[in-house]
Amino acid sequence: MWRIELLPAEFGDAIWIEYGDGQRAHRILIDCGTSAAFPRLRERILALPEDDRHFELLVVTHVDVDHIGGSLDLLRERESLGVSFGEIWFNGYVHLTPGGTVPQPEAADLLGPLQGEALTELIVANGANKWNAAAGGGALVVPAAGPLQPLRQLPGGMQLTLLSPTQAQLDRLQPRWHAACRKAGIVPGAATAADARQLEEDEEPAEDDDLLGDPDVARLAAMPFKPDRAIPNGSSLALLAEYQGRRALLTGDAYAPVLVDALARLPGNAAGRLQLDAVKLSHHGSRGNTSADLVRAVDCRNWLVSTNGKIFHHPDGEAIARVLRDGGAGVQLHFNYRSECNEMWAALGLQRKHGYTARYPANEGEGVCLDLDG
Ligand SMILES: [Zn+2]
């Protein structure tokens, strides 16, 4: 079993991964969506047997409210839900300086500067030794040079390789950390959707797409690529997950050029298109995070999109069109909501014309699930 589920996470990500030999499911959770979406995740957890609520890994990709909001709720309720985590991966403030590591419990006075930052406190409460354990408590950062080797093999055999961020993205986040945390609600002060919008100040305004007719794939795909410059997005963790010969690219909100560079550094993949079984589109299918270069760097049928289209009106037509134009034959789009921002891709004539299929949740609130060994 190797299954990726995009839970309904509003305009964010909450990715529930299960893998294993059938006797026992191992689990990974990547982000927990917004706080408003957390009740769905709580329900999903409560549906597990009480003695089987373990996750090998919780990944909090970066400090935006649509990734971190529900993570705060989950960690606050960790004990009452009976949830445990083998490791938690998150680059906190201590990790933004090269060489910075998680303070050890015996150096408790070093925790001082971390006080008041709710997520960090909750992660420490889960066990400081489990925080970024794969990096010895240090930053999860792509090495400056050389081939990229797997960072961790989790119990059960899931192998994870880090593809983002590089130190350059962490350096840029450092001076912006406190503002970013305030907006994400991980320091006191309620985060609002308007705060989230401010975080994306670098986002280009939406083009006036013609929503009445079918999208013009050729025109959209040919639009110039303007890369995402939002600093928190750049700091996003992105992972290549490999299990029993199947591979998924789990991008968070990472920058496309960073992903392209990292893919080229995977051993044996210098020139080719990396064979993948699933790609989660970065930044909810934003036009600034899916370049033609990125689509052409992989060979993949299944493309997953996590967003309800609110706030930022993702996914953008340009991103989907680049996948359809450059993604090869038989692309499948998997949306975890049906929204006015993605339903244009449901048109059967359009699917036939461009040789793809589009999947939506059968019922609202179900999210979407992909079996990689199905
Ligand atoms: Zn996001």
Side-chain angles (χ1 to χ4, degrees), residues 217-218 220-223 292 295-296 320-328 354:
V217 169
L220 286 167
M223 301 279 281
V295 178
R296 290 172 187 153
I320 301 296
R322 286 172 193 135
V323 170
L324 297 184
R325 186 190 65 184
D326 298 325
H354 296 286

Side-chain angles (χ1 to χ4, degrees), residues 8-334:
E10 291 203 306
F11 51 96
D13 283 359
I15 305 175
W16 181 295
I17 294 171
E18 294 195 351
Y19 63 96
D21 58 11
Q23 303 298 311
R24 171 150 182 246
H26 297 273
R27 297 185 197 91
I28 302 171
L29 194 54
I30 302 182
D31 294 323
C32 302
T34 64
S35 188
F38 177 67
R40 291 286 317 185
L41 177 57
R42 182 201 284 122
E43 233 174 77
R44 188 78 172 72
I45 289 169
L46 288 173
L48 296 172
E50 271 182 56
D51 61 352
D52 183 20
R53 294 182 183 167
H54 181 71
F55 292 80
E56 308 299 347
L57 174 65
L58 168 66
V59 180
V60 183
T61 58
H62 67 295
V63 291
D64 273 346
V65 67
D66 55 317
H67 300 258
I68 222 168
S71 310
L72 284 164
D73 295 309
L74 175 61
L75 287 167
R76 282 193 193 107
E77 296 187 19
R78 177 175 57 85
E79 286 185 22
S80 61
L81 291 171
V83 170
S84 58
F85 303 102
E87 295 183 37
I88 298 180
W89 291 4
F90 170 69
N91 282 331
Y93 188 73
V94 289
H95 298 113
L96 302 185
T97 306
T101 57
V102 175
Q104 291 308 298
E106 59 269 25
D109 54 323
L110 289 180
L111 287 173
L114 306 178
Q115 296 300 321
E117 187 202 294
L119 184 68
T120 298
E121 286 185 17
L122 289 163
I123 291 175
V124 170
N126 181 68
N129 60 333
K130 296 178 177 176
W131 183 9
N132 286 6
L140 295 162
V141 61
V142 174
L148 297 183
Q149 303 296 342
L151 183 65
R152 181 61 110 206
Q153 176 155 319
L154 294 176
M158 174 67 76
Q159 194 162 278
L160 299 173
T161 304
L162 189 68
L163 304 181
S164 169
T166 67
Q167 188 60 45
Q169 283 84 46
L170 295 185
D171 289 344
R172 289 178 71 213
L173 182 60
Q174 192 180 35
R176 294 273 298 269
W177 175 262
H178 291 288
C181 288
R182 206 162 43 244
K183 286 169 184 164
I186 69 170
V187 292
T192 64
D195 287 335
R197 196 194 308 268
Q198 284 173 30
L199 264 186
E200 313 252 345
E201 60 217 26
D202 299 326
E203 178 118 329
E204 297 289 331
E207 300 286 334
D208 237 349
D209 293 336
D210 177 11
L211 292 175
L212 295 174
D214 280 347
D216 181 340
V217 169
R219 182 184 72 83
L220 286 167
M223 301 279 281
F225 176 67
K226 296 179 191 158
D228 180 12
R229 292 187 307 272
I231 288 170
N233 288 347
S235 76
S236 179
L237 299 174
L239 299 168
L240 175 68
E242 301 178 79
Y243 179 69
Q244 293 188 342
R246 310 259 172 176
R247 288 191 280 226
L249 182 57
L250 302 162
T251 55
D253 285 358
Y255 291 168
V258 169
L259 293 171
V260 170
D261 286 352
L263 290 169
R265 290 171 59 191
L266 292 169
N269 190 49
R273 296 179 77 152
L274 183 68
Q275 288 246 325
L276 292 171
D277 298 281
V279 175
K280 198 266 331 171
L281 266 75
S282 178
H283 196 204
H284 323 288
S286 167
R287 60 170 72 83
N289 299 72
T290 298
S291 60
D293 284 347
L294 178 55
V295 178
R296 290 172 187 153
V298 304
D299 177 3
C300 184
R301 275 188 77 191
N302 295 298
W303 297 77
L304 301 137
V305 183
S306 179
T307 177
N308 64 358
K310 297 279 162 61
I311 315 289
F312 304 112
H313 309 291
H314 293 147
D316 290 315
E318 293 94 318
I320 301 296
R322 286 172 193 135
V323 170
L324 297 184
R325 186 190 65 184
D326 298 325
V331 160
Q332 290 201 4
L333 303 172
H334 306 261

